[in-house]
Amino acid sequence: MPSAEKGRPSAEKGRPSADPGVRTAQPRVFGRTINPATISLWISAVVVGVIFGYGAWQRRWIADDGLIVLRTVRNLLAGNGPVFNKGERVEANTSTLWTYLIWFWSWVTDAQTEYVVLWIALVLSIAAVPLAMYGTGRLYRIGRGQGPMNPGWMLLLPLGALVYIALPPARDFATSGLETSLCICWAALLWCQLIAWSQRSPDPAAWGRKQVATTLLLGFTAGLSPLIRPELTLVGGLALLLVFCSPMSWKMRIAFAGVAAVLPVGYQIFRMGYYALLVPNTAVAKDASGSKFDQGLTYLGNMFSPYFLILPLVIAVIAAGLTWYLRRSAVDTSAERPVDLVKHEDDAPVSWRTRAGSISRRLQSPAAVVTLIFVCGFLESFYWVRQGGDFMHARVLLVPLFLLMLPVMVIPVALPAGFGLRRSDTDGSRSVRPQVVGWAGTVVMAGLWITTVVWAISTSHVAGMKNGTEIGRGGIVDERRYYIQNIGVEHPITAEDYLSYPRIRAMVASINKHQDTGGVLLPSPNYDEWYFDPLPVPPPPGVDKQITVFYLNLGMTSMNASLDVRVIDQMGLAYPIAAHSDRLPDGRIGHDKDLDAEWVVAESGAYPRYPVLPPFVSADGVRQAQVALTCKPTEDLIASYSAPWTFARFKHNLRQAAGFTSYRINRVPEYELERCKLPIPAPVYPN
């Protein structure tokens, strides 16, 4: 063997070897060989997790919208089924898995549901960031029994992780009772699984039981996406498509698709037969497929401007590009280049099967996974900007931001290849260019990381959006600060904490006062009272003596009322008639539907005339709404969620789910009569 070949490290099976002309000086401490990249990764993960957990705990709370899901959990625990109001099959929660996760731990612990959801959210949020950092560390083969891209001294330091946890909204929604914590934890887990999958042998014949099981588990995780949040189906679907098109047998493909589809498809069949919709009722209420680009751009600016977020995003892009460049400079690129299965020495024609196989093999690579995640992050961001964003400051853009930060959750800051490495040219001289490039890269990467740390420290103390406790023209509000200011509780967690919010304590008193009468409670301009419209005596046939509360803040009202009280809202989150009304073009984002009280009085059977009828409710409007409710498609819609659930009803709902999802009514009773071609009734009080 020639002398140039002596001492050359052999390549790990299935992996490219280091440059044969490179001699590695392994870092040693106290006589022991160590891997600084691994140690720095774990230290960074622990430190970032502790900081994020501390920040989230300091801002702990449960939002009004976070309380909405707990009403469904209470009904599940009471045996009423997955409903918001007993006897009405309405899916008032966007995240199916979030609902059942809270229900399971509430059932296991028998603890107060508010504290159950608080701890679930906190644990998932804290776990998500170190998990994502570990997945990014795997890009540098940390934990694979092989050195990182630079076998010398290299540190993996947090960058994307710092960008995320430094944002006050990220710490606000680390608890809040909403499903943001579940979304980012799922994204981090999927990221880790995809990176691990991309680094396995591309030859399916070499897979053992472990590789098969982990690939199927990846399919199961990605398949959960529509049950996490409907828009995350895009992320899970693209991940499934990437793995499905990679090298594997058709038997394995069928098993992979089956494992991915079993839970979401099964639940979708249940949703269609039980709720008579293709999507959660919340998606209908907010017209999730609608478009409000102008409002979406306003929402994007509302998130970026308080924190100068453009700076860390630019840094992240530069860091990602520089990491890619330095990685190619630090290793023999020819050793890492995949075997080209398309070109042949004899230039013979290449079949489409050979070309497809070459493309398929390239899909199972870290580069393909990183590209996928970047694309998913941009598409999720685009979706929310197109849809108009949300009324809560930064909330719906946190998950897209987390996705975009995944490939740079940690970045390598390394001494260049010239430190501890020797590269022999053909003439025996030392190569200078790799050292210059390496040192420049080290200085730039360190500078990017230090700049991000300074930005994160300064941003972590920012109060948030300007005038965040006021609902301005944009309709966006700093939800946590808004409620703290209005109820005077530093950490509102339980439903009782919200009794000090305007009208809520008075609502509880009014329910107790009229619980034996039945009727409709409507909010009064006076914060200390409610209008009560009782049922006639005796009530109309088929109408129970039930109290219906009609109010915007659905969480605090429903959680401070018993399950025998019907709680509905004008936006339609828990009220299908409002959900199926038309979206107001100029309405506040997230509150684009505003059903008039006349519909509720008519539908509940409350007394429709003065002087019992509240003065702001039109008696003629009530009468018109009564007739409009007899429109045949509307009657079918109401029966789909309120009629007894039998097998015949299940089959009918299954067939009609698509039609009910797209069905809309006019919020003005008179115009709805015209749409349905129904006669306009005579005035109740003719002149």
Side-chain angles (χ1 to χ4, degrees):
M1 179 181 293
S3 59
E5 297 294 325
K6 293 181 180 180
R8 177 180 300 178
S10 60
E12 181 185 357
K13 186 178 181 180
R15 296 288 166 194
S17 63
D19 187 348
V22 172
R23 179 169 53 84
T24 303
Q26 295 293 339
R28 300 175 69 84
V29 174
F30 299 116
R32 287 179 169 272
T33 301
I34 64 169
N35 189 334
T38 303
I39 295 176
S40 60
L41 174 64
W42 290 119
I43 293 176
S44 297
V46 171
V47 171
V48 170
V50 170
I51 293 174
F52 189 37
Y54 175 79
W57 182 255
Q58 292 300 311
R59 302 171 80 96
R60 64 192 180 277
W61 72 305
I62 300 294
D64 172 66
D65 282 53
L67 293 173
I68 293 176
V69 66
L70 302 187
R71 171 83 169 195
T72 301
V73 171
R74 287 172 61 198
N75 273 297
L76 280 167
L77 293 172
N80 298 326
V83 299
F84 190 81
N85 289 306
K86 184 169 59 176
E88 295 181 354
R89 296 181 297 276
V90 178
E91 191 176 15
N93 311 306
T94 304
S95 175
T96 302
L97 191 58
W98 186 239
T99 301
Y100 286 98
L101 188 64
I102 300 169
W103 164 78
F104 174 77
W105 285 109
S106 297
W107 175 69
V108 168
T109 62
D110 198 27
Q112 189 171 344
T113 53
E114 291 96 321
Y115 289 105
V116 171
V117 71
L118 175 73
W119 283 104
I120 291 176
L122 188 62
V123 169
L124 290 178
S125 295
I126 295 174
V129 178
L131 184 62
M133 294 171 67
Y134 170 73
T136 307
R138 288 289 296 265
L139 283 174
Y140 310 105
R141 300 175 189 167
I142 299 300
R144 296 281 300 173
Q146 187 177 0
M149 70 180 191
N150 186 337
W153 285 86
M154 183 176 80
L155 302 179
L156 291 179
L157 302 179
L159 190 139
L162 290 180
V163 173
Y164 186 80
I165 72 169
L167 292 176
R171 302 196 299 275
D172 287 347
F173 292 103
T175 53
S176 84
L178 297 166
E179 67 277 358
T180 305
S181 57
L182 176 63
C183 294
I184 64 172
C185 193
W186 171 83
L189 177 60
L190 181 65
W191 168 246
C192 289
Q193 290 179 296
L194 284 171
I195 292 298
W197 164 80
S198 71
Q199 295 175 337
R200 294 182 198 134
S201 169
D203 182 11
W207 289 4
R209 292 183 179 180
K210 180 180 178 180
Q211 286 78 9
V212 171
T214 51
T215 302
L216 294 178
L217 184 60
L218 168 59
F220 180 80
T221 302
L224 291 176
S225 55
L227 303 181
I228 305 290
R229 275 192 68 93
E231 71 275 5
L232 290 179
T233 302
L234 177 67
V235 181
L238 289 177
L240 290 172
L241 183 62
L242 179 73
V243 179
F244 186 84
C245 294
S246 67
M248 65 174 69
S249 66
W250 279 104
K251 181 179 179 181
M252 182 64 183
R253 282 192 175 95
I254 294 173
F256 179 78
V259 169
V262 61
L263 203 58
V265 171
Y267 185 80
Q268 183 64 16
I269 294 172
F270 168 77
R271 171 184 282 151
M272 294 169 65
Y274 191 75
Y275 299 112
L277 290 175
L278 298 178
V279 294
N281 184 66
T282 53
V284 178
K286 296 192 177 185
D287 271 345
S289 61
S291 176
K292 282 191 174 183
F293 259 119
D294 290 343
Q295 177 62 30
L297 292 175
T298 299
Y299 187 77
L300 186 66
N302 178 268
M303 177 182 181
F304 271 60
S305 58
Y307 317 110
F308 196 47
L309 189 55
I310 189 66
L311 174 63
L313 291 186
V314 170
I315 289 175
V317 171
I318 296 174
L322 188 58
T323 300
W324 174 81
Y325 175 76
L326 292 176
R327 185 177 188 276
R328 292 179 63 87
S329 299
V331 297
D332 186 356
T333 55
S334 64
E336 287 213 340
R337 188 177 299 116
V339 177
D340 195 333
L341 300 180
V342 176
K343 295 181 180 179
H344 296 266
E345 293 182 359
D346 56 359
D347 293 327
V350 179
S351 68
W352 67 268
R353 290 180 181 274
T354 303
R355 294 183 182 275
S358 176
I359 295 173
S360 178
R361 284 175 175 82
R362 293 174 185 270
L363 293 179
Q364 190 176 347
S365 65
V369 172
V370 170
T371 302
L372 171 77
I373 291 298
F374 268 131
V375 169
C376 288
F378 278 114
L379 290 177
E380 288 290 314
S381 302
F382 176 80
Y383 166 78
W384 281 114
V385 171
R386 178 184 181 275
Q387 203 268 343
D390 190 42
F391 65 94
M392 299 186 199
H393 170 60
R395 175 206 166 194
V396 296
L397 290 178
L398 288 175
V399 177
L401 175 66
F402 190 84
L403 287 169
L404 289 171
M405 290 294 105
L406 282 174
V408 289
M409 276 287 168
V410 293
I411 60 170
V413 177
L415 289 173
F419 182 86
L421 302 177
R422 301 268 181 162
R423 181 181 295 270
S424 299
D425 296 334
T426 55
D427 59 357
S429 63
R430 292 188 58 184
S431 176
V432 177
R433 182 177 176 274
Q435 297 181 45
V436 174
V437 172
W439 280 112
T442 300
V443 172
V444 173
M445 291 295 277
L448 293 175
W449 181 74
I450 293 171
T451 304
T452 303
V453 171
V454 173
W455 173 87
I457 293 173
S458 60
T459 300
S460 63
H461 299 292
V462 175
M465 61 177 287
K466 186 178 180 180
N467 300 324
T469 58
E470 301 175 5
I471 303 175
R473 292 184 178 181
I476 306 168
V477 68
D478 189 329
E479 192 86 344
R480 177 178 168 274
R481 289 168 58 201
Y482 175 83
Y483 281 117
I484 289 175
Q485 176 177 283
N486 280 276
I487 65 178
V489 178
E490 183 179 3
H491 299 293
I493 295 175
T494 66
E496 288 79 5
D497 291 334
Y498 282 89
L499 286 174
S500 298
Y501 190 79
R503 298 189 180 93
I504 302 304
R505 198 177 300 275
M507 178 203 73
V508 174
S510 188
I511 290 174
N512 294 333
K513 179 180 178 181
H514 301 291
Q515 60 184 350
D516 295 329
T517 304
V520 176
L521 281 177
L522 301 172
S524 165
N526 185 344
Y527 287 168
D528 294 329
E529 66 178 4
W530 287 69
Y531 288 112
F532 178 67
D533 186 9
L535 296 173
V537 182
V543 176
D544 296 328
K545 289 186 177 181
Q546 184 181 48
I547 290 182
T548 296
V549 178
F550 184 60
Y551 192 48
L552 174 66
N553 296 89
L554 199 60
M556 63 181 74
T557 51
S558 65
M559 285 298 290
N560 281 297
S562 70
L563 297 181
D564 293 328
V565 176
R566 183 182 183 224
V567 182
I568 56 178
D569 62 309
Q570 56 265 49
M571 286 171 49
L573 297 179
Y575 192 32
I577 294 176
H580 289 269
S581 63
D582 293 321
R583 191 181 191 186
L584 298 174
D586 299 322
R588 182 190 176 196
I589 189 66
H591 301 72
D592 307 79
K593 300 186 177 181
D594 188 11
L595 195 71
D596 292 331
E598 284 80 0
W599 289 93
V600 181
V601 174
E603 185 258 350
S604 63
Y607 197 81
R609 294 172 179 264
Y610 304 122
V612 177
L613 198 66
F616 65 90
V617 179
S618 168
D620 288 333
V622 173
R623 180 65 186 130
Q624 292 168 1
Q626 288 174 334
V627 178
L629 288 170
T630 64
C631 183
K632 184 61 170 61
T634 305
E635 286 184 326
D636 291 342
L637 173 68
I638 295 173
S640 72
Y641 65 83
S642 62
W645 195 49
T646 61
F647 185 64
R649 170 55 55 189
F650 173 83
K651 293 189 296 182
H652 184 273
N653 286 356
L654 207 61
R655 292 193 299 268
Q656 297 293 97
F660 288 144
T661 301
S662 60
Y663 180 65
R664 295 294 182 270
I665 66 174
N666 197 300
R667 60 184 295 272
V668 179
E670 184 177 353
Y671 297 160
E672 175 64 8
L673 291 174
E674 294 178 3
R675 187 189 71 84
C676 287
K677 297 180 174 55
L678 293 172
I680 298 178
V684 177
Y685 299 103
N687 294 331

